[in-house]
Amino acid sequence: MGAEVVVSSSEPRLQQLERALDDIGVTPSHKKILALILFGVLFDVFEQNAVGLVGPLLREYWGLSGAQIGFLNTLTFGAAAIGRLGSGYIADRYGRRTMLSINLMLFTLGALICALATNYSMLAAGRFIVGFGLGGEISIAVTMLAEFCSSRFRGVAVGAINVAGGGLGNMLAPAFGLAVFAFFPGPDSWRWLFGCLVLPAFFVLLYRRFIPETPRFLFSKGRVEEANRVLNILASGKLGKSAGGEKRYLSEAPDGEHRAEKVRLREVFVGPLARRTVAVGIAVCMTYGAQISVLTLMPTILMAQGYTLNKSFLFTIVMQSGSLLGAITASYFGFRFPRKRVLTTGAIAACVIGLCFGFLSKSQPLILVFGAAFQFCVLLLNTSIWIYAPELYPTRVRAFGTAFILALGTLAGAAMPLVAGRVFDQYGIGGMFGMMAAMYAVFALALTFAPETFGKPIDGPDAPGDAPNDSTPATARAAAEASPAS
């Protein structure tokens, strides 16, 4: 079966690159890169939760309304969508590493503006800048980890981002806020919380020094010597240092044979790539919209069932334990199972569990069990989407394609709570979770039009295609057979 993505005439050396990454495997260099990126993502999630943490203090000391506090989150998520698109374009033109540092500096600057804000307008401006940096940070982190790893291990590496973010980060964010408020009590404690989120500025220095550019990006730009140098750094296990006696993983092309691939962003909207953009874009809108709707409305739903505000918050925290487990499971499944099988099975489970929560959760144990199970499915699906998205596009447009898909999810997450809230007001909890179940049915249907990518190289003649018989490639079967028995 031929490739459906047109690449340059350097296909033999693309195969060299795939073999080199397979031979190198996972080294201490990969683990250090992963740790640095995950630490930045953890601060991202703290930033995403910041408005919710300081909201009660802003109401008390600044007299802000609930609508004004909500608008701060709307600004953050709206800017995140824009940031993802802009970051994807810049990263495909100038490099992933450069854009990662810029994103960190942007949300650090935004946090500083928030900490020093003298009025609501200044605070809103700071949140917009924060959102722009946050949106780009996540999508570039996903792209970079996908490009540093071989096809066998990239699912685990990319999935770990949501373990640190959507799972662990959302659970630790309230504890982070409580710790800051305990150390810095008083009417300005909210400023200290934003001030502590300036710390990622120091990580820019670490990123600049230790995290190299990805070998796939360098190769796509014709910078073969630099790509070889990065491959040797990965193989040596020592970041920030050139390995002695460097091995030549990639051979130089004859004069004029290999040229830097041009970045044409419209490529993700036309031809063979358009089908996967539309299919996965619809799917991500469904799952992000459902996730943010449930997170936003869960305390309101529980209070409508007669529980106190404190108990509603406690129940929500318990349910979030399912999120962490879902993200961890998705990372493991990314190593073992085809993407579409995980996504389709998870969507069916989300349908069933959502209906159970909507119509059967009549007691505290059932609320906690069904709530945690639903959050498990949501983070399983969202994390798997993060693993899947960068595998759908060639290197020259991978950052933008991934950013576009995640930006669609961000916009859906900003808009869907409005719809879900109206459905809840009119039809109750059963109607709202019935709508969630329908959204996951659309999710599963949309994915039937996207290709399978598990176990396949993400560039070159064996890259995933859209042919109907492409769902179980030989390389995926070989990878599964090589895995330890369940």
Side-chain angles (χ1 to χ4, degrees):
M1 180 181 60
E4 53 85 26
V5 175
V6 177
V7 296
S8 70
S9 58
S10 56
E11 285 179 357
R13 285 182 304 119
L14 280 171
Q15 295 172 10
Q16 284 183 348
L17 179 55
E18 294 292 345
R19 284 196 299 270
L21 290 170
D22 285 337
D23 291 343
I24 291 170
V26 178
T27 71
S29 289
H30 288 92
K31 296 174 183 178
K32 292 169 189 174
I33 291 170
L34 179 62
L36 286 170
I37 289 178
L38 292 188
F39 209 71
V41 169
L42 190 64
F43 272 92
D44 285 358
V45 177
F46 288 173
E47 269 286 15
Q48 290 174 13
N49 285 273
V51 170
L53 296 173
V54 305
L57 296 175
L58 293 175
R59 284 179 69 100
E60 181 178 355
Y61 294 108
W62 272 22
L64 298 185
S65 67
Q68 287 176 306
I69 293 172
F71 182 67
L72 293 176
N73 258 346
T74 300
L75 272 177
T76 304
F77 280 101
I82 300 172
R84 282 178 172 166
L85 294 177
S87 295
Y89 171 74
I90 294 172
D92 281 331
R93 289 293 299 270
Y94 303 107
R96 286 64 162 121
R97 179 173 176 258
T98 298
M99 197 62 237
L100 193 68
S101 298
I102 292 173
N103 286 325
L104 276 169
M105 289 189 288
L106 278 174
F107 84 68
T108 301
L109 172 64
L112 182 62
I113 292 173
C114 291
L116 301 176
T118 56
N119 53 52
Y120 181 77
S121 297
M122 185 174 176
L123 183 60
R127 293 310 300 172
F128 186 87
I129 295 173
V130 163
F132 197 95
L134 287 175
E137 169 80 4
I138 297 293
S139 58
I140 300 306
V142 167
T143 301
M144 288 189 76
L145 286 179
E147 293 185 347
F148 273 123
C149 297
S150 65
S151 59
R152 184 171 173 78
F153 295 104
R154 65 176 178 250
V156 176
V158 176
I161 295 177
N162 222 19
V163 174
L168 190 62
N170 281 329
M171 291 183 67
L172 292 180
F176 171 74
L178 290 173
V180 172
F181 295 156
F183 277 105
F184 305 103
D188 286 331
S189 57
W190 64 272
R191 295 185 185 276
W192 285 103
L193 186 139
F194 284 126
C196 288
L197 292 173
V198 175
L199 291 175
F202 297 103
F203 289 102
V204 173
L205 301 177
L206 292 175
Y207 278 25
R208 277 292 188 185
R209 180 177 178 184
F210 292 111
I211 297 185
E213 185 54 81
T214 72
R216 290 187 186 277
F217 174 81
L218 293 170
F219 179 81
S220 74
K221 297 300 180 183
R223 294 153 63 180
V224 178
E225 282 299 319
E226 293 176 68
N228 271 317
R229 192 175 305 120
V230 172
L231 290 170
N232 276 278
I233 290 173
L234 294 177
S236 72
K238 299 176 182 179
L239 288 184
K241 298 179 181 179
S242 295
E246 291 190 353
K247 178 179 178 180
R248 297 193 64 79
Y249 290 96
L250 305 175
S251 60
E252 288 287 350
D255 291 342
E257 179 181 330
H258 180 70
R259 298 182 299 275
E261 294 179 308
K262 294 183 179 179
V263 178
R264 298 185 178 92
L265 301 186
R266 66 179 182 275
E267 189 176 348
V268 304
F269 307 117
V270 297
L273 296 184
R275 181 176 178 179
R276 57 189 64 184
T277 299
V278 172
V280 182
I282 291 172
V284 80
C285 285
M286 296 299 104
T287 187
Y288 270 55
Q291 179 195 22
I292 302 302
S293 295
V294 171
L295 287 176
T296 302
L297 296 173
M298 185 57 73
T300 302
I301 291 170
L302 294 173
M303 290 186 70
Q305 291 186 312
Y307 297 102
T308 64
L309 179 61
N310 287 339
K311 185 165 283 190
S312 297
F313 282 156
L314 178 61
F315 283 9
T316 302
I317 292 173
V318 173
M319 293 176 196
Q320 282 287 0
S321 63
S323 298
L324 178 59
L325 185 58
I328 293 172
T329 302
S331 184
Y332 172 71
F333 282 179
F335 178 73
R336 293 295 302 273
F337 302 111
R339 312 299 186 223
K340 291 176 67 175
R341 184 188 305 172
V342 173
L343 290 165
T344 303
T345 304
I348 293 171
C351 283
V352 174
I353 295 170
L355 291 173
C356 288
F357 191 99
F359 295 99
L360 300 178
S361 55
K362 306 300 182 183
S363 64
Q364 290 186 16
L366 289 178
I367 288 173
L368 294 177
V369 169
F370 289 139
F374 187 78
Q375 291 296 340
F376 171 88
C377 292
V378 167
L379 263 292
L380 172 71
L381 292 171
N382 288 4
T383 305
S384 297
I385 284 284
W386 285 21
I387 295 171
Y388 189 39
E391 298 176 344
L392 296 169
Y393 300 99
T395 298
R396 61 186 175 275
V397 291
R398 180 169 298 121
F400 180 75
T402 301
F404 181 79
I405 286 176
L406 297 184
L408 287 178
T410 301
L411 292 175
M416 276 307 299
L418 300 176
V419 178
R422 291 189 177 185
V423 172
F424 175 71
D425 289 339
Q426 189 165 357
Y427 300 104
I429 184 173
M432 176 182 156
F433 274 90
M435 184 183 76
M436 300 291 114
M439 291 171 67
Y440 280 112
V442 173
F443 177 103
L445 178 62
L447 281 177
T448 62
F449 297 96
E452 181 56 73
T453 60
F454 177 62
K456 289 192 169 188
I458 49 179
D459 286 298
D462 296 322
D466 292 316
N469 61 352
D470 191 38
S471 59
T472 312
T475 49
R477 291 194 299 270
E481 291 168 0
S483 301
S486 301

Coordinates of all heavy atoms in Angstrom, one line a residue, residues 31-41 203 206-207 210-211 239:
K31 N 14.1 10.3 29.3 CA 13.4 10.5 30.6 C 13.6 11.9 31.2 O 12.7 12.4 31.8 CB 14.0 9.4 31.6 CG 13.7 8.0 31.2 CD 14.3 7.0 32.1 CE 14.1 5.5 31.6 NZ 14.8 4.5 32.4
K32 N 14.8 12.4 30.9 CA 15.0 13.8 31.4 C 14.2 14.8 30.6 O 13.7 15.8 31.2 CB 16.5 14.1 31.3 CG 17.4 13.3 32.2 CD 18.9 13.5 31.9 CE 19.8 12.5 32.7 NZ 21.2 12.6 32.2
I33 N 14.1 14.6 29.3 CA 13.3 15.5 28.5 C 11.8 15.4 29.0 O 11.1 16.4 29.1 CB 13.4 15.1 27.0 CG1 14.8 15.5 26.5 CG2 12.3 15.8 26.2 CD1 15.1 14.9 25.1
L34 N 11.4 14.2 29.2 CA 10.0 14.0 29.6 C 9.8 14.7 31.0 O 8.7 15.3 31.2 CB 9.7 12.5 29.8 CG 8.3 12.1 30.3 CD1 7.2 12.6 29.3 CD2 8.2 10.6 30.4
A35 N 10.7 14.5 31.9 CA 10.5 15.1 33.2 C 10.5 16.6 33.2 O 9.6 17.3 33.8 CB 11.7 14.7 34.1
L36 N 11.3 17.3 32.3 CA 11.3 18.7 32.2 C 10.0 19.2 31.6 O 9.4 20.2 32.1 CB 12.5 19.2 31.3 CG 13.9 19.1 32.0 CD1 15.0 19.4 31.0 CD2 14.0 20.2 33.1
I37 N 9.5 18.5 30.6 CA 8.3 18.9 29.9 C 7.1 18.7 30.9 O 6.2 19.6 31.0 CB 8.1 18.2 28.6 CG1 9.1 18.6 27.6 CG2 6.7 18.3 28.1 CD1 9.0 17.9 26.2
L38 N 7.1 17.6 31.6 CA 6.0 17.4 32.5 C 5.9 18.4 33.6 O 4.8 18.8 34.1 CB 6.1 15.9 33.1 CG 5.8 14.8 32.1 CD1 5.8 13.5 32.8 CD2 4.6 15.0 31.3
F39 N 7.1 18.8 34.1 CA 7.1 19.8 35.2 C 6.5 21.1 34.7 O 5.7 21.8 35.4 CB 8.5 20.0 35.7 CG 8.6 20.5 37.1 CD1 8.3 19.5 38.1 CD2 8.9 21.7 37.5 CE1 8.3 19.9 39.4 CE2 9.0 22.1 38.8 CZ 8.7 21.2 39.8
G40 N 6.8 21.5 33.4 CA 6.2 22.7 32.9 C 4.7 22.5 32.7 O 3.9 23.5 33.0
V41 N 4.2 21.3 32.3 CA 2.8 21.1 32.1 C 2.1 21.1 33.4 O 0.9 21.6 33.5 CB 2.6 19.7 31.4 CG1 1.1 19.3 31.5 CG2 3.1 19.8 30.0
F203 N 12.4 27.8 34.3 CA 12.5 26.6 33.5 C 12.9 26.9 32.1 O 13.3 26.0 31.3 CB 11.2 25.8 33.6 CG 11.0 25.2 34.9 CD1 10.2 25.7 35.9 CD2 11.8 24.0 35.3 CE1 10.0 25.1 37.1 CE2 11.6 23.5 36.5 CZ 10.7 24.0 37.4
L206 N 16.4 26.2 31.7 CA 16.7 24.7 31.7 C 16.3 24.2 30.3 O 17.0 23.4 29.7 CB 15.9 24.0 32.8 CG 16.4 24.3 34.2 CD1 15.4 23.6 35.2 CD2 17.8 23.8 34.4
Y207 N 15.2 24.6 29.8 CA 14.7 24.2 28.5 C 15.7 24.5 27.4 O 16.1 23.7 26.6 CB 13.4 24.8 28.1 CG 12.2 24.1 28.7 CD1 12.3 23.3 29.9 CD2 10.9 24.2 28.1 CE1 11.2 22.7 30.4 CE2 9.8 23.6 28.7 CZ 10.0 22.8 29.8 OH 8.9 22.2 30.4
F210 N 19.0 22.3 28.0 CA 19.0 20.9 28.0 C 18.2 20.2 27.0 O 18.5 19.1 26.5 CB 18.6 20.4 29.4 CG 19.6 20.7 30.5 CD1 19.3 21.6 31.5 CD2 20.8 20.0 30.5 CE1 20.2 21.8 32.5 CE2 21.7 20.3 31.5 CZ 21.4 21.2 32.5
I211 N 17.0 20.8 26.6 CA 16.2 20.1 25.7 C 16.6 20.5 24.2 O 16.5 21.7 23.9 CB 14.7 20.5 25.9 CG1 14.2 20.0 27.3 CG2 13.8 19.9 24.8 CD1 12.8 20.2 27.6
L239 N 22.0 14.8 28.4 CA 21.4 16.0 27.8 C 22.4 17.2 27.9 O 23.2 17.3 28.9 CB 20.1 16.4 28.4 CG 18.9 15.6 28.1 CD1 17.7 16.2 28.8 CD2 18.7 15.5 26.6

